[in-house]
Short mmCIF file of all heavy atoms in Angstrom, two decimals:
data_model
loop_
_atom_site.label_atom_id
_atom_site.label_comp_id
_atom_site.label_asym_id
_atom_site.label_seq_id
_atom_site.Cartn_x
_atom_site.Cartn_y
_atom_site.Cartn_z
N MET A 1 -18.56 22.21 -12.33
CA MET A 1 -18.16 20.89 -11.89
C MET A 1 -19.33 19.94 -12.16
O MET A 1 -20.46 20.22 -11.77
CB MET A 1 -17.83 20.92 -10.40
CG MET A 1 -17.39 19.60 -9.88
SD MET A 1 -16.63 19.65 -8.25
CE MET A 1 -18.01 19.96 -7.21
N SER A 2 -19.06 18.82 -12.80
CA SER A 2 -20.12 17.86 -13.09
C SER A 2 -19.81 16.54 -12.39
O SER A 2 -18.65 16.17 -12.20
CB SER A 2 -20.25 17.63 -14.59
OG SER A 2 -19.08 17.05 -15.07
N VAL A 3 -20.86 15.86 -12.01
CA VAL A 3 -20.72 14.58 -11.32
C VAL A 3 -21.45 13.53 -12.12
O VAL A 3 -22.59 13.73 -12.52
CB VAL A 3 -21.31 14.66 -9.89
CG1 VAL A 3 -21.22 13.32 -9.20
CG2 VAL A 3 -20.58 15.73 -9.09
N ASN A 4 -20.80 12.39 -12.37
CA ASN A 4 -21.43 11.29 -13.08
C ASN A 4 -22.01 10.35 -12.03
O ASN A 4 -21.29 9.72 -11.27
CB ASN A 4 -20.39 10.57 -13.94
CG ASN A 4 -21.02 9.51 -14.79
OD1 ASN A 4 -22.24 9.30 -14.77
ND2 ASN A 4 -20.19 8.81 -15.54
N THR A 5 -23.34 10.25 -12.00
CA THR A 5 -23.99 9.42 -10.98
C THR A 5 -24.52 8.12 -11.57
O THR A 5 -25.31 7.43 -10.92
CB THR A 5 -25.15 10.19 -10.33
OG1 THR A 5 -26.07 10.58 -11.34
CG2 THR A 5 -24.63 11.41 -9.59
N LYS A 6 -24.11 7.77 -12.78
CA LYS A 6 -24.56 6.52 -13.39
C LYS A 6 -23.93 5.35 -12.66
O LYS A 6 -22.77 5.37 -12.28
CB LYS A 6 -24.18 6.47 -14.86
CG LYS A 6 -24.88 7.49 -15.71
CD LYS A 6 -24.43 7.36 -17.14
CE LYS A 6 -25.12 8.41 -18.00
NZ LYS A 6 -24.66 8.35 -19.40
N THR A 7 -24.69 4.29 -12.48
CA THR A 7 -24.15 3.10 -11.83
C THR A 7 -23.43 2.24 -12.86
O THR A 7 -23.74 2.28 -14.05
CB THR A 7 -25.27 2.26 -11.18
OG1 THR A 7 -26.21 1.89 -12.19
CG2 THR A 7 -25.97 3.05 -10.09
N ALA A 8 -22.47 1.50 -12.41
CA ALA A 8 -21.70 0.63 -13.31
C ALA A 8 -22.53 -0.58 -13.68
O ALA A 8 -23.23 -1.16 -12.85
CB ALA A 8 -20.41 0.20 -12.63
N SER A 9 -22.44 -0.98 -14.92
CA SER A 9 -23.17 -2.16 -15.36
C SER A 9 -22.36 -3.41 -15.07
O SER A 9 -21.17 -3.35 -14.77
CB SER A 9 -23.47 -2.07 -16.86
OG SER A 9 -22.26 -2.13 -17.57
N ALA A 10 -23.00 -4.55 -15.18
CA ALA A 10 -22.32 -5.83 -14.90
C ALA A 10 -21.18 -6.07 -15.89
O ALA A 10 -20.16 -6.64 -15.53
CB ALA A 10 -23.32 -6.96 -14.96
N SER A 11 -21.33 -5.63 -17.13
CA SER A 11 -20.28 -5.84 -18.12
C SER A 11 -19.05 -4.99 -17.80
O SER A 11 -17.93 -5.36 -18.14
CB SER A 11 -20.78 -5.52 -19.52
OG SER A 11 -21.15 -4.15 -19.61
N GLN A 12 -19.25 -3.85 -17.14
CA GLN A 12 -18.11 -3.01 -16.75
C GLN A 12 -17.38 -3.60 -15.55
O GLN A 12 -16.18 -3.42 -15.40
CB GLN A 12 -18.57 -1.60 -16.42
CG GLN A 12 -19.06 -0.83 -17.64
CD GLN A 12 -19.68 0.50 -17.24
OE1 GLN A 12 -20.22 0.64 -16.16
NE2 GLN A 12 -19.58 1.47 -18.13
N LEU A 13 -18.09 -4.30 -14.68
CA LEU A 13 -17.49 -4.86 -13.48
C LEU A 13 -16.86 -6.23 -13.70
O LEU A 13 -16.08 -6.68 -12.87
CB LEU A 13 -18.53 -4.96 -12.37
CG LEU A 13 -19.09 -3.64 -11.85
CD1 LEU A 13 -20.17 -3.89 -10.83
CD2 LEU A 13 -18.00 -2.79 -11.28
N LYS A 14 -17.20 -6.89 -14.79
CA LYS A 14 -16.73 -8.25 -15.03
C LYS A 14 -15.21 -8.40 -15.01
O LYS A 14 -14.69 -9.31 -14.37
CB LYS A 14 -17.30 -8.79 -16.34
CG LYS A 14 -16.99 -10.24 -16.58
CD LYS A 14 -17.63 -10.74 -17.86
CE LYS A 14 -17.27 -12.20 -18.06
NZ LYS A 14 -17.79 -12.72 -19.31
N PRO A 15 -14.42 -7.51 -15.67
CA PRO A 15 -12.96 -7.69 -15.63
C PRO A 15 -12.38 -7.61 -14.22
O PRO A 15 -11.38 -8.24 -13.93
CB PRO A 15 -12.43 -6.54 -16.48
CG PRO A 15 -13.56 -6.13 -17.34
CD PRO A 15 -14.80 -6.44 -16.56
N PHE A 16 -13.01 -6.87 -13.33
CA PHE A 16 -12.51 -6.73 -11.97
C PHE A 16 -12.90 -7.91 -11.10
O PHE A 16 -12.25 -8.18 -10.09
CB PHE A 16 -13.01 -5.44 -11.33
CG PHE A 16 -12.55 -4.21 -12.07
CD1 PHE A 16 -13.42 -3.49 -12.85
CD2 PHE A 16 -11.24 -3.81 -11.99
CE1 PHE A 16 -13.00 -2.35 -13.53
CE2 PHE A 16 -10.79 -2.68 -12.67
CZ PHE A 16 -11.68 -1.96 -13.45
N ALA A 17 -13.96 -8.60 -11.45
CA ALA A 17 -14.45 -9.70 -10.63
C ALA A 17 -13.65 -10.99 -10.86
O ALA A 17 -13.64 -11.86 -10.01
CB ALA A 17 -15.92 -9.95 -10.91
N GLU A 18 -12.99 -11.08 -12.01
CA GLU A 18 -12.26 -12.31 -12.31
C GLU A 18 -10.96 -12.34 -11.52
O GLU A 18 -10.19 -11.38 -11.52
CB GLU A 18 -11.94 -12.38 -13.80
CG GLU A 18 -13.17 -12.47 -14.68
CD GLU A 18 -12.83 -12.37 -16.15
OE1 GLU A 18 -11.64 -12.14 -16.48
OE2 GLU A 18 -13.73 -12.50 -16.97
N ASN A 19 -10.70 -13.43 -10.84
CA ASN A 19 -9.45 -13.60 -10.10
C ASN A 19 -8.42 -14.23 -11.01
O ASN A 19 -8.62 -15.32 -11.52
CB ASN A 19 -9.66 -14.47 -8.86
CG ASN A 19 -10.49 -13.77 -7.82
OD1 ASN A 19 -10.51 -12.55 -7.78
ND2 ASN A 19 -11.16 -14.53 -6.99
N GLN A 20 -7.32 -13.54 -11.20
CA GLN A 20 -6.25 -14.07 -12.02
C GLN A 20 -5.41 -15.01 -11.17
O GLN A 20 -5.13 -14.72 -10.01
CB GLN A 20 -5.38 -12.92 -12.54
CG GLN A 20 -6.15 -11.93 -13.41
CD GLN A 20 -6.64 -12.55 -14.70
OE1 GLN A 20 -6.00 -13.46 -15.24
NE2 GLN A 20 -7.76 -12.08 -15.19
N PRO A 21 -5.00 -16.13 -11.73
CA PRO A 21 -4.15 -17.04 -10.96
C PRO A 21 -2.80 -16.39 -10.67
O PRO A 21 -2.20 -15.76 -11.54
CB PRO A 21 -4.00 -18.26 -11.86
CG PRO A 21 -4.33 -17.77 -13.22
CD PRO A 21 -5.29 -16.63 -13.05
N VAL A 22 -2.34 -16.54 -9.44
CA VAL A 22 -1.09 -15.94 -9.01
C VAL A 22 -0.14 -17.07 -8.61
O VAL A 22 -0.54 -17.98 -7.88
CB VAL A 22 -1.32 -14.97 -7.83
CG1 VAL A 22 -0.01 -14.36 -7.37
CG2 VAL A 22 -2.30 -13.89 -8.22
N SER A 23 1.08 -16.99 -9.08
CA SER A 23 2.04 -18.03 -8.75
C SER A 23 2.41 -17.95 -7.27
O SER A 23 2.25 -16.93 -6.62
CB SER A 23 3.29 -17.91 -9.61
OG SER A 23 4.02 -16.77 -9.21
N GLN A 24 2.92 -19.05 -6.76
CA GLN A 24 3.30 -19.11 -5.35
C GLN A 24 4.47 -18.17 -5.08
O GLN A 24 4.55 -17.58 -4.00
CB GLN A 24 3.65 -20.53 -4.96
CG GLN A 24 3.80 -20.71 -3.47
CD GLN A 24 3.81 -22.16 -3.07
OE1 GLN A 24 3.66 -23.04 -3.91
NE2 GLN A 24 3.99 -22.41 -1.80
N ALA A 25 5.36 -18.00 -6.02
CA ALA A 25 6.49 -17.08 -5.84
C ALA A 25 5.99 -15.64 -5.72
O ALA A 25 6.49 -14.87 -4.90
CB ALA A 25 7.45 -17.21 -7.00
N THR A 26 4.98 -15.29 -6.52
CA THR A 26 4.42 -13.95 -6.43
C THR A 26 3.72 -13.74 -5.11
O THR A 26 3.85 -12.68 -4.49
CB THR A 26 3.44 -13.71 -7.60
OG1 THR A 26 4.11 -13.95 -8.83
CG2 THR A 26 2.88 -12.31 -7.58
N GLN A 27 2.98 -14.74 -4.65
CA GLN A 27 2.31 -14.64 -3.35
C GLN A 27 3.34 -14.47 -2.23
O GLN A 27 3.14 -13.65 -1.33
CB GLN A 27 1.46 -15.87 -3.08
CG GLN A 27 0.21 -15.94 -3.92
CD GLN A 27 -0.57 -17.22 -3.66
OE1 GLN A 27 -0.07 -18.18 -3.08
NE2 GLN A 27 -1.82 -17.24 -4.10
N PHE A 28 4.44 -15.20 -2.29
CA PHE A 28 5.49 -15.10 -1.29
C PHE A 28 6.11 -13.71 -1.29
O PHE A 28 6.36 -13.11 -0.25
CB PHE A 28 6.55 -16.17 -1.51
CG PHE A 28 7.67 -16.12 -0.51
CD1 PHE A 28 7.46 -16.52 0.80
CD2 PHE A 28 8.92 -15.64 -0.87
CE1 PHE A 28 8.48 -16.47 1.73
CE2 PHE A 28 9.94 -15.59 0.05
CZ PHE A 28 9.73 -16.00 1.35
N ALA A 29 6.36 -13.18 -2.49
CA ALA A 29 6.96 -11.85 -2.61
C ALA A 29 6.03 -10.79 -2.04
O ALA A 29 6.47 -9.87 -1.34
CB ALA A 29 7.30 -11.55 -4.07
N GLN A 30 4.73 -10.90 -2.33
CA GLN A 30 3.77 -9.94 -1.80
C GLN A 30 3.68 -10.05 -0.28
O GLN A 30 3.62 -9.03 0.41
CB GLN A 30 2.40 -10.16 -2.43
CG GLN A 30 2.34 -9.77 -3.88
CD GLN A 30 1.04 -10.17 -4.54
OE1 GLN A 30 0.28 -10.97 -4.00
NE2 GLN A 30 0.77 -9.61 -5.70
N TYR A 31 3.71 -11.26 0.24
CA TYR A 31 3.62 -11.44 1.68
C TYR A 31 4.85 -10.86 2.38
O TYR A 31 4.74 -10.19 3.39
CB TYR A 31 3.48 -12.92 2.03
CG TYR A 31 3.57 -13.17 3.52
CD1 TYR A 31 2.52 -12.85 4.35
CD2 TYR A 31 4.73 -13.70 4.08
CE1 TYR A 31 2.61 -13.06 5.72
CE2 TYR A 31 4.83 -13.92 5.44
CZ TYR A 31 3.76 -13.59 6.26
OH TYR A 31 3.85 -13.78 7.60
N THR A 32 6.04 -11.12 1.83
CA THR A 32 7.24 -10.61 2.48
C THR A 32 7.30 -9.10 2.40
O THR A 32 7.81 -8.45 3.32
CB THR A 32 8.52 -11.23 1.88
OG1 THR A 32 8.52 -11.01 0.47
CG2 THR A 32 8.61 -12.71 2.17
N LEU A 33 6.81 -8.53 1.31
CA LEU A 33 6.76 -7.08 1.21
C LEU A 33 5.83 -6.50 2.27
O LEU A 33 6.18 -5.54 2.97
CB LEU A 33 6.30 -6.65 -0.19
CG LEU A 33 6.16 -5.14 -0.40
CD1 LEU A 33 7.54 -4.48 -0.32
CD2 LEU A 33 5.53 -4.86 -1.75
N LEU A 34 4.65 -7.10 2.43
CA LEU A 34 3.72 -6.63 3.44
C LEU A 34 4.26 -6.88 4.84
O LEU A 34 3.96 -6.13 5.77
CB LEU A 34 2.36 -7.32 3.28
CG LEU A 34 1.55 -6.90 2.06
CD1 LEU A 34 0.27 -7.74 1.97
CD2 LEU A 34 1.20 -5.43 2.12
N ASP A 35 5.08 -7.91 5.00
CA ASP A 35 5.66 -8.21 6.29
C ASP A 35 6.68 -7.16 6.70
O ASP A 35 6.89 -6.90 7.88
CB ASP A 35 6.31 -9.59 6.23
CG ASP A 35 6.66 -10.13 7.59
OD1 ASP A 35 5.88 -9.90 8.53
OD2 ASP A 35 7.69 -10.82 7.69
N GLU A 36 7.33 -6.52 5.73
CA GLU A 36 8.35 -5.52 6.01
C GLU A 36 7.78 -4.11 6.20
O GLU A 36 8.49 -3.24 6.71
CB GLU A 36 9.36 -5.49 4.86
CG GLU A 36 10.13 -6.77 4.69
CD GLU A 36 11.06 -7.05 5.86
OE1 GLU A 36 11.57 -6.08 6.45
OE2 GLU A 36 11.25 -8.23 6.17
N VAL A 37 6.55 -3.87 5.82
CA VAL A 37 5.99 -2.52 5.88
C VAL A 37 5.96 -1.95 7.29
O VAL A 37 6.38 -0.80 7.49
CB VAL A 37 4.59 -2.48 5.21
CG1 VAL A 37 3.88 -1.17 5.48
CG2 VAL A 37 4.73 -2.71 3.72
N PRO A 38 5.51 -2.67 8.33
CA PRO A 38 5.52 -2.07 9.68
C PRO A 38 6.92 -1.67 10.15
O PRO A 38 7.10 -0.61 10.76
CB PRO A 38 4.94 -3.17 10.56
CG PRO A 38 4.14 -4.02 9.65
CD PRO A 38 4.87 -3.98 8.34
N GLY A 39 7.92 -2.48 9.86
CA GLY A 39 9.28 -2.13 10.24
C GLY A 39 9.78 -0.91 9.50
O GLY A 39 10.47 -0.06 10.07
N LEU A 40 9.42 -0.80 8.23
CA LEU A 40 9.81 0.36 7.44
C LEU A 40 9.17 1.63 8.00
O LEU A 40 9.85 2.65 8.14
CB LEU A 40 9.41 0.15 5.98
CG LEU A 40 9.69 1.30 5.02
CD1 LEU A 40 11.19 1.51 4.89
CD2 LEU A 40 9.07 1.01 3.68
N ILE A 41 7.89 1.56 8.33
CA ILE A 41 7.20 2.72 8.89
C ILE A 41 7.81 3.11 10.22
O ILE A 41 8.06 4.29 10.50
CB ILE A 41 5.69 2.44 9.01
CG1 ILE A 41 5.07 2.32 7.62
CG2 ILE A 41 5.00 3.53 9.82
CD1 ILE A 41 3.65 1.85 7.62
N PHE A 42 8.07 2.12 11.08
CA PHE A 42 8.68 2.40 12.38
C PHE A 42 10.06 3.03 12.21
O PHE A 42 10.41 3.99 12.91
CB PHE A 42 8.78 1.12 13.21
CG PHE A 42 9.39 1.33 14.56
CD1 PHE A 42 8.68 1.94 15.57
CD2 PHE A 42 10.69 0.93 14.80
CE1 PHE A 42 9.25 2.14 16.81
CE2 PHE A 42 11.27 1.12 16.04
CZ PHE A 42 10.54 1.74 17.05
N GLY A 43 10.85 2.51 11.29
CA GLY A 43 12.17 3.06 11.04
C GLY A 43 12.12 4.49 10.54
O GLY A 43 12.89 5.35 10.99
N LEU A 44 11.21 4.77 9.62
CA LEU A 44 11.06 6.14 9.11
C LEU A 44 10.61 7.10 10.20
O LEU A 44 11.10 8.23 10.29
CB LEU A 44 10.09 6.16 7.93
CG LEU A 44 10.61 5.54 6.64
CD1 LEU A 44 9.50 5.51 5.59
CD2 LEU A 44 11.80 6.34 6.12
N MET A 45 9.67 6.65 11.04
CA MET A 45 9.21 7.50 12.14
C MET A 45 10.35 7.78 13.11
O MET A 45 10.48 8.90 13.63
CB MET A 45 8.04 6.84 12.87
CG MET A 45 6.75 6.83 12.08
SD MET A 45 5.42 5.92 12.86
CE MET A 45 5.31 6.71 14.44
N THR A 46 11.19 6.79 13.37
CA THR A 46 12.33 6.96 14.26
C THR A 46 13.32 7.97 13.69
O THR A 46 13.79 8.86 14.40
CB THR A 46 13.02 5.61 14.51
OG1 THR A 46 12.07 4.69 15.03
CG2 THR A 46 14.18 5.75 15.47
N VAL A 47 13.64 7.84 12.41
CA VAL A 47 14.57 8.77 11.78
C VAL A 47 14.00 10.19 11.80
O VAL A 47 14.72 11.14 12.11
CB VAL A 47 14.90 8.31 10.34
CG1 VAL A 47 15.64 9.39 9.57
CG2 VAL A 47 15.70 7.03 10.38
N VAL A 48 12.73 10.34 11.49
CA VAL A 48 12.10 11.68 11.52
C VAL A 48 12.14 12.25 12.92
O VAL A 48 12.43 13.44 13.12
CB VAL A 48 10.66 11.61 10.97
CG1 VAL A 48 9.90 12.90 11.24
CG2 VAL A 48 10.68 11.31 9.48
N TYR A 49 11.88 11.42 13.93
CA TYR A 49 11.92 11.89 15.32
C TYR A 49 13.32 12.34 15.70
O TYR A 49 13.50 13.41 16.31
CB TYR A 49 11.44 10.78 16.25
CG TYR A 49 11.56 11.14 17.71
CD1 TYR A 49 10.66 12.02 18.30
CD2 TYR A 49 12.59 10.62 18.49
CE1 TYR A 49 10.77 12.37 19.64
CE2 TYR A 49 12.71 10.96 19.82
CZ TYR A 49 11.80 11.84 20.39
OH TYR A 49 11.92 12.18 21.70
N ILE A 50 14.34 11.57 15.35
CA ILE A 50 15.71 11.93 15.70
C ILE A 50 16.13 13.21 14.99
O ILE A 50 16.70 14.12 15.60
CB ILE A 50 16.67 10.77 15.39
CG1 ILE A 50 16.40 9.60 16.32
CG2 ILE A 50 18.12 11.20 15.47
CD1 ILE A 50 17.12 8.32 15.96
N VAL A 51 15.84 13.30 13.71
CA VAL A 51 16.21 14.49 12.94
C VAL A 51 15.49 15.72 13.47
O VAL A 51 16.09 16.78 13.65
CB VAL A 51 15.95 14.28 11.43
CG1 VAL A 51 16.08 15.57 10.66
CG2 VAL A 51 16.90 13.22 10.88
N SER A 52 14.20 15.60 13.75
CA SER A 52 13.45 16.76 14.26
C SER A 52 13.93 17.15 15.66
O SER A 52 13.96 18.33 16.01
CB SER A 52 11.95 16.50 14.25
OG SER A 52 11.63 15.45 15.14
N SER A 53 14.30 16.19 16.49
CA SER A 53 14.83 16.50 17.81
C SER A 53 16.17 17.23 17.71
O SER A 53 16.39 18.21 18.42
CB SER A 53 15.02 15.21 18.63
OG SER A 53 13.79 14.60 18.85
N LEU A 54 17.04 16.75 16.84
CA LEU A 54 18.32 17.44 16.66
C LEU A 54 18.13 18.82 16.04
O LEU A 54 18.86 19.75 16.38
CB LEU A 54 19.25 16.58 15.79
CG LEU A 54 19.73 15.27 16.44
CD1 LEU A 54 20.51 14.44 15.43
CD2 LEU A 54 20.57 15.56 17.68
N TRP A 55 17.17 18.94 15.15
CA TRP A 55 16.90 20.23 14.52
C TRP A 55 16.39 21.24 15.55
O TRP A 55 16.77 22.40 15.51
CB TRP A 55 15.86 20.04 13.41
CG TRP A 55 15.66 21.28 12.59
CD1 TRP A 55 14.73 22.25 12.78
CD2 TRP A 55 16.42 21.69 11.46
NE1 TRP A 55 14.86 23.22 11.84
CE2 TRP A 55 15.89 22.91 11.01
CE3 TRP A 55 17.48 21.13 10.78
CZ2 TRP A 55 16.41 23.58 9.92
CZ3 TRP A 55 17.99 21.79 9.70
CH2 TRP A 55 17.46 23.01 9.27
N SER A 56 15.58 20.78 16.49
CA SER A 56 15.04 21.69 17.51
C SER A 56 16.12 22.11 18.50
O SER A 56 16.02 23.17 19.14
CB SER A 56 13.87 21.07 18.24
OG SER A 56 14.30 19.97 19.01
N LEU A 57 17.19 21.31 18.69
CA LEU A 57 18.28 21.66 19.58
C LEU A 57 19.21 22.70 18.96
O LEU A 57 19.89 23.42 19.68
CB LEU A 57 19.10 20.42 19.95
CG LEU A 57 18.41 19.42 20.88
CD1 LEU A 57 19.30 18.18 21.03
CD2 LEU A 57 18.13 20.04 22.22
N ALA A 58 19.24 22.76 17.65
CA ALA A 58 20.18 23.68 16.97
C ALA A 58 19.75 25.12 17.06
O ALA A 58 18.71 25.52 17.38
CB ALA A 58 20.30 23.29 15.50
#
């Protein structure tokens, strides 16, 4: 197993440092997606809990 311990140079980091302009529609879509994530997680946890409870009763 080999490990590369070289540090990244400034020229390698430059593409990541540039902020690309994002349209307002894209920002809205990303925000609404992030807004739905907690509800999705809660819903999935609820379904898993109900299914596992019913499975343990069988």
Side-chain angles (χ1 to χ4, degrees):
M1 181 167 72
S2 65
V3 177
N4 185 1
T5 58
K6 294 180 181 177
T7 58
S9 66
S11 62
Q12 291 172 331
L13 295 176
K14 186 177 179 183
F16 298 106
E18 296 173 355
N19 291 334
Q20 299 294 329
V22 179
S23 71
Q24 191 166 357
T26 304
Q27 288 177 345
F28 180 73
Q30 290 172 345
Y31 172 75
T32 55
L33 178 66
L34 289 176
D35 193 36
E36 297 293 328
V37 169
L40 177 65
I41 293 171
F42 180 75
L44 288 175
M45 289 174 56
T46 303
V47 169
V48 169
Y49 175 75
I50 292 170
V51 169
S52 64
S53 296
L54 293 174
W55 188 267
S56 67
L57 289 174

